[in-house]
């Protein structure tokens, strides 16, 4: 920097500092360049004019400062040192980072510091020393206090694997292959990393191996790279049987019929332990012999669960008799899966078997759901018989089961029995608070025969048919945002302090717990992410109290962020409930304060729950501040969760994916519905002890959809939960530990 005549020395230093700051925002290695700048003649002159004993610019801002931070006893200071060295990125900085992670150093004992260092070292994974450190983190070797004992262990291991795979370096890929061969958690992380970053050449994976280990063969099949066929086909002949089986399975997954002849030969001359592999190969290749091979597995005591898995993978009417025979022989927790597999197989025999299973109380719900979701006239006729047959006339439980199956069939297939509409409307006339009326309310609202407000009628904290509110609120989920928004006034009234049963609680004011009707009406928050007319103080209390309403209340509270509630949001974002943390992150995406992006960025750094990280990325995708870019890029490149990486890629490409309330409803009972709005979750709450049967009635719960959004729901008086408009994927249901006040009675 040239010092002009008359320029005060202090101003010259300030200008130099500003130059460093600007460069830091524009380049990956700014501090290193600035630190070397005094080598120029003009800068040597400026430096010589400094006061004796003054700290050089490099000493103030470069690697030495980071090294002093690394030596600190404060973990936060050490993290700042690691991040500073990562931003510098020079060889000197990388060496300092490696030294900070040597065994015995404070950073080596801190999983957070090691994770930050792995992310900082990822761009340098081709260097020998960096590659060795990443391989060590992948295998969890080294000091006793390694990542396996930390909640961050899986995140650290997966990040190290992705850094190695992303480099494309031959030796880094070799480390990943070695981990796959050895198996365990490191092998799984290595396989996922190579699936995320496939190698440019398979030779980089195979190297000079004369023998490809079975674990590596299986991975090649999972990778889906057709170039592997050339290496796998020769393994079908010669060698040991384990290698032949592994190669045949991998080739079948790749769709190569070269494995078909081998599988047919094994089927003709069965050998111990080969039946499961043979059946899997035939299933993957769609061979006509596949159902018979799977049926043989279902008849084998040792391989029965493998047969069930393959029957789920490849439904066939020919498997129905074998599934029915295997049903009583399966473990109790696997029997509902077999019932569902019978339904997916379809056909007249499947409908007949499911009809018989309706007489078994422990499997009746599974059989009804299978009939409700099975296509075909036979299944529809079976559901119609449940609604208006002879047994329905004398057995109220069976009739309600049929009505629920008919509603599910109408929602999922648009193929409801003709008698369903009339029977549902008749059920609306049942006594208040009864299970019959609850079924009628749910079906009428879900299928658009009645509006939620219409069937609930007058509902105040003093007088309310709570069972109807529970059913109508869940039914409104199937009708879209407009139906949910119609429940907002009811929710605001019931959720207010003293609303519903809260008045009888020992607590009062904002801390009073919501009653069951308020919990059900809370689905209105799906259409009002900002909380609607509910007071901010009440939202804060609901969010901090836990329970089914807490996640959506936390999301709404975050959307109202200000200086008063910022502290409460930070505590929620650091709390022990990952679902609440995720919803705070979703709410911060719509936070009016620009500095909320910093909250999201800090929350992402060491979040160990993938679902929360997905929510953080969703929140960041709605922000426009420049700070989001660095976090989204790190998530896109190095997050071990595939869902997080996909969301980050979409956000950086300008196509953010934000979970919304269900889409607009179908207009008529039999009209088709959008694919993402047709899923229905059916849960029957069964108490472990008959004396606790009352605890299942009107039980509140929290259902977390596959997109991460939590839905507050309350069961019908007979303990049944039907939740429509659930996207495809895995959902989870968490029952409230105890029923809140006012959950029973009219």
């Amino acid at each position: 920097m040239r010092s002009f005549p008359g320029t005060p020395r202090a101003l010259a230093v300030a200008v130099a500092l500003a130059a460093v700051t600007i460069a830091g925002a524009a380049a990956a290695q700014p501090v290193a360049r600035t630190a070397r700048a005094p080598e120029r003649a003009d800068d040597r002159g400026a430096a010589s004019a400094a006061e004796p004993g003054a700290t050089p610019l490099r000493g103030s801002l470069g690697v030495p400062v980071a090294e002093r931070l690394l030596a600190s006893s404060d973990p936060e200071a050490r993290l700042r040192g690691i991040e500073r060295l990562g931003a510098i990125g020079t060889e000197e900085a990388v060496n300092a980072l490696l030294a900070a992670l040597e065994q015995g150093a404070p950073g080596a004992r801190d999983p957070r510091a090691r994770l930050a260092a792995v992310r900082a070292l990822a761009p340098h994974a081709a260097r020998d020393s960096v590659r060795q450190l990443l391989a060590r983190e992948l295998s969890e070797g080294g000091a006793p206090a390694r990542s396996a004992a930390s909640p961050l262990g899986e995140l650290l291991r997966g990040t190290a694997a992705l850094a190695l795979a992303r480099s494309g370096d031959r030796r880094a890929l070799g480390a990943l292959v070695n981990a796959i061969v050895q198996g365990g958690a490191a092998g799984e992380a290595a396989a996922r990393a190579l699936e995320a970053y496939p190698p440019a050449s398979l030779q980089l994976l195979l190297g000079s191996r004369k023998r490809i280990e079975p674990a590596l063969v299986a991975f090649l099949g999972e990778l889906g790279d057709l170039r592997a066929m050339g290496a796998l086909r020769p393994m079908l002949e010669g060698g040991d049987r384990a290698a032949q089986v592994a190669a045949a399975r991998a080739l079948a997954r790749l769709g190569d019929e070269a494995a078909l002849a081998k599988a047919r030969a094994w089927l003709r001359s069965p050998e111990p332990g080969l039946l499961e592999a043979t059946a899997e190969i035939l299933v993957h290749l769609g061979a006509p012999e596949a159902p018979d091979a799977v049926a043989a597995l279902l008849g084998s005591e040792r391989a029965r669960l493998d047969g069930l898995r393959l029957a789920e993978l490849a439904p066939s009417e020919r498997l129905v008799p074998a599934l029915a025979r295997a049903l009583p022989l399966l473990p109790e927790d696997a029997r509902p899966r077999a019932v569902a597999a019978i339904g997916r197989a379809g056909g007249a025999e499947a409908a007949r078997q499911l009809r018989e299973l309706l007489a078994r109380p422990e499997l009746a719900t599974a059989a009804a759901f299978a009939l409700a979701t099975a296509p075909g006239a036979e299944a529809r006729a079976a559901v119609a018989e449940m609604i208006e047959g002879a047994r329905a006339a004398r057995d109220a439980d069976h009739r309600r089961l049929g009505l629920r199956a008919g509603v599910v069939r109408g929602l999922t297939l648009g193929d409801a029995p003709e008698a369903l509409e009339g029977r549902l409307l008749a059920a609306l006339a049942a006594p208040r608070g009864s299970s019959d009326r609850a079924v009628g309310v749910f079906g009428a609202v879900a299928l658009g025969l009645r509006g939620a407000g219409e069937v609930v009628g007058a509902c105040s904290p003093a007088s309310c048919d709570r069972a109807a509110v529970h059913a109508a609120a869940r039914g409104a989920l199937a009708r879209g945002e407009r139906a949910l928004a119609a429940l907002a006034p009811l929710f605001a009234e019931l959720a207010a302090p003293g609303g519903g049963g809260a008045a009888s609680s020992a607590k009062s004011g904002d801390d009073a717990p919501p009653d069951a009707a308020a919990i059900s009406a809370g689905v209105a928050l799906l259409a009002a992410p900002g909380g609607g007319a509910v007071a901010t103080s009440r939202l804060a209390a609901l969010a901090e109290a836990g329970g089914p309403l807490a996640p959506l209340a936390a999301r709404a509270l975050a959307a109202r962020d200000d200086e008063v509630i910022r502290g409460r949001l930070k505590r929620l974002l650091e709390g022990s409930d990952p679902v609440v943390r995720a919803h705070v992150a979703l709410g911060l995406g719509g936070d009016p304060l620009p500095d909320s992006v910093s909250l999201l960025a800090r929350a992402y750094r060491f979040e160990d729950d993938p679902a929360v990280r997905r929510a953080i990325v969703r929140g960041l995708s709605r922000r426009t501040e420049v700070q989001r870019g660095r976090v989204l890029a790190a998530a896109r490149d190095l997050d071990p969760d595939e869902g997080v990486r996909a969301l980050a890629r979409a956000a950086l490409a300008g196509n953010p994916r934000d979970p919304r309330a269900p889409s607009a409803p179908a207009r008529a009972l039999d009209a088709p519905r959008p694919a993402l709005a047709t899923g229905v979750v059916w849960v029957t709450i069964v108490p472990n002890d008959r004396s606790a049967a009352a605890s299942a009635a009107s039980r509140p719960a929290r259902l977390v959809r596959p997109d991460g959004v939590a839905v507050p729901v309350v069961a019908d008086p007979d303990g049944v939960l039907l939740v429509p408009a659930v996207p495809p994927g895995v959902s989870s249901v968490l029952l409230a530990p105890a029923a809140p006040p006012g959950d029973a009675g009219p």
Side-chain angles (χ1 to χ4, degrees):
M1 182 188 70
R2 178 170 297 167
S3 182
F4 293 97
T7 301
R9 189 182 303 111
L11 179 59
V13 173
V15 173
L17 292 175
V20 171
T21 304
I22 294 170
Q29 302 176 353
V31 180
R33 296 194 191 99
T34 306
R36 291 190 171 91
E39 296 300 321
R40 298 183 311 219
D42 290 339
D43 288 329
R44 283 198 301 270
S48 65
E51 300 264 352
T55 302
L57 186 58
R58 179 179 176 278
S60 299
L61 299 175
V63 173
V65 170
E67 291 175 326
R68 287 198 294 272
L69 290 170
L70 288 172
S72 170
S73 59
D74 180 8
E76 293 298 326
R78 293 199 297 268
L79 286 173
R80 291 197 300 273
I82 290 171
E83 291 167 352
R84 181 184 290 262
L85 290 173
I88 294 172
T90 61
E91 183 176 356
E92 182 184 10
V94 170
N95 290 336
L97 257 178
L98 293 170
L101 296 180
E102 290 179 354
Q103 297 183 17
R109 298 189 295 271
D110 181 358
R112 297 198 312 161
R114 298 206 326 272
L115 177 58
V118 164
R119 288 169 173 163
L121 291 169
H124 313 282
R127 287 185 49 173
D128 286 344
S129 53
V130 175
R131 185 187 68 255
Q132 292 168 9
L133 180 140
L134 294 174
R136 186 184 75 193
E137 293 293 356
L138 171 63
S139 62
E140 298 182 339
R146 301 304 293 174
S147 60
S150 166
L152 291 175
E154 184 177 354
L155 179 58
L156 177 54
R157 186 167 50 243
T159 304
L162 284 168
L164 290 167
R166 187 168 177 264
S167 71
D169 178 73
R170 176 179 57 82
R171 291 165 297 181
L173 297 179
L176 293 171
V177 170
N178 290 336
I180 290 174
V181 170
Q182 293 173 10
E188 293 174 3
R192 289 193 296 268
L194 286 172
E195 289 170 3
Y197 293 106
S201 168
L202 285 185
Q203 196 58 39
L204 293 172
L205 295 183
L206 302 179
S208 58
R209 280 178 161 78
K210 295 182 179 179
R211 174 181 178 273
I212 307 178
E213 295 84 349
L216 183 54
V217 171
F219 167 71
L220 291 175
E222 296 286 349
L223 187 60
D225 192 327
L226 300 183
R227 295 175 298 177
M229 291 179 180
L232 295 175
R233 283 172 180 165
M235 297 178 64
L236 293 175
E237 306 299 335
D240 58 24
R241 184 51 55 87
Q244 291 180 7
V245 171
R249 276 179 146 161
L251 286 168
R253 286 184 175 274
L254 293 171
D256 187 356
E257 293 193 355
L260 190 55
K262 184 66 69 174
R264 284 172 170 163
W266 292 335
L267 191 63
R268 288 191 298 269
S269 303
E271 298 180 26
L274 278 185
L275 183 57
E276 191 271 336
T278 302
E280 183 174 319
I281 293 166
L282 295 171
V283 164
H284 279 296
L285 293 176
E289 304 94 334
D292 293 334
V294 175
L297 282 179
L298 289 166
S300 166
E301 181 179 359
R302 186 185 63 83
R304 191 166 287 123
L305 286 175
D306 288 322
L308 176 57
R309 174 179 61 84
L310 292 175
E312 293 171 322
L313 185 64
S316 169
E317 291 186 35
R318 290 163 56 188
L319 285 174
V320 171
L323 285 165
R325 289 191 299 269
L327 186 61
L329 304 174
L330 286 166
E332 186 175 353
D333 60 349
R335 291 173 190 172
R337 290 173 50 198
V339 174
I342 292 174
R344 281 196 290 271
E349 178 61 18
R352 188 185 71 81
Q353 293 286 351
L354 293 172
R355 272 191 174 103
E356 293 184 3
L357 291 175
L358 292 172
R360 298 176 57 177
E362 74 279 10
L363 294 176
T365 297
F369 189 79
L371 286 169
T373 53
E378 298 92 346
R380 183 177 65 251
V383 173
E385 182 182 353
M386 295 172 65
I387 294 173
E388 54 184 353
R391 184 178 173 187
R394 65 178 185 271
D395 186 343
D397 291 340
H398 185 78
R399 183 176 63 253
R400 286 195 298 271
L401 191 67
L403 288 173
R404 287 173 172 133
V407 174
V408 171
R409 192 170 185 86
L411 290 172
T412 59
L413 301 178
D415 187 30
E418 294 180 1
L420 178 62
E421 180 175 341
R423 297 292 181 177
L424 287 174
L425 296 179
L428 289 177
R432 287 164 54 95
S434 67
S435 296
D436 284 343
R437 185 164 192 269
V439 171
V441 168
F442 172 78
V445 174
L447 296 174
L449 306 175
R450 295 287 187 274
E454 180 184 356
V455 294
V456 169
C459 184
S460 67
S463 175
C464 189
D465 183 354
R466 291 183 173 82
V469 174
H470 308 331
R474 285 184 280 107
L477 291 168
R479 307 310 303 169
E481 290 193 21
R482 183 176 300 177
L484 293 172
L487 293 171
L490 176 63
F491 174 62
E493 182 176 8
L494 295 175
S504 61
S505 170
K507 293 184 178 182
S508 60
D510 287 329
D511 292 335
D515 84 330
I519 291 173
S520 285
V523 296
L525 290 175
L526 291 170
V534 181
T536 299
S537 58
R538 183 58 171 158
L539 288 173
L542 293 172
E544 293 170 343
L549 273 177
L552 291 182
R555 184 179 73 166
L557 185 68
R560 299 183 182 184
D561 182 22
D562 59 22
E563 294 180 0
V564 176
I565 63 173
R566 174 59 66 88
R568 303 177 87 163
L569 287 176
K570 288 181 178 179
R571 289 192 294 273
L572 290 169
L573 199 54
E574 298 169 357
S576 60
D577 188 339
V579 179
V580 171
R581 295 202 303 271
H583 282 71
V584 174
L586 291 174
L588 288 174
D591 187 346
L593 299 182
D595 65 338
S596 63
V597 70
S598 299
L599 286 180
L600 290 169
R602 283 195 295 271
Y604 177 83
R605 293 165 71 203
F606 306 117
E607 175 55 60
D608 60 278
D609 192 297
V612 181
R613 296 201 304 276
R614 291 183 211 124
I616 292 171
V617 170
R618 288 185 191 275
L620 286 170
S621 70
R622 298 178 59 196
R623 308 300 308 186
T624 58
E625 296 83 0
V626 69
Q627 295 96 316
R628 78 177 198 138
R630 184 174 181 181
V631 181
L632 289 175
R636 176 197 61 196
D637 297 338
L638 294 174
D639 196 292
D641 182 73
E642 182 181 1
V644 174
R645 295 197 303 273
L647 289 167
R649 282 195 300 270
L652 290 170
N655 183 31
R657 303 174 187 174
D658 190 29
R660 301 288 184 181
S663 56
R667 295 182 180 179
L669 185 63
D670 58 347
R673 297 183 56 77
L676 292 183
T678 59
V680 179
V681 171
W682 187 336
V683 176
T684 299
I685 304 171
V686 180
N688 294 325
D689 189 341
R690 290 184 179 180
S691 63
S695 65
S698 302
R699 187 69 173 268
R702 179 180 76 190
L703 182 139
V704 181
R705 301 185 321 204
D707 59 5
V709 174
V711 182
V713 291
V714 180
D716 287 336
D718 56 358
V720 176
L721 269 171
L722 276 180
V723 185
V726 178
V730 178
S731 299
S732 64
V733 177
L734 178 65
L735 297 180
D743 69 345

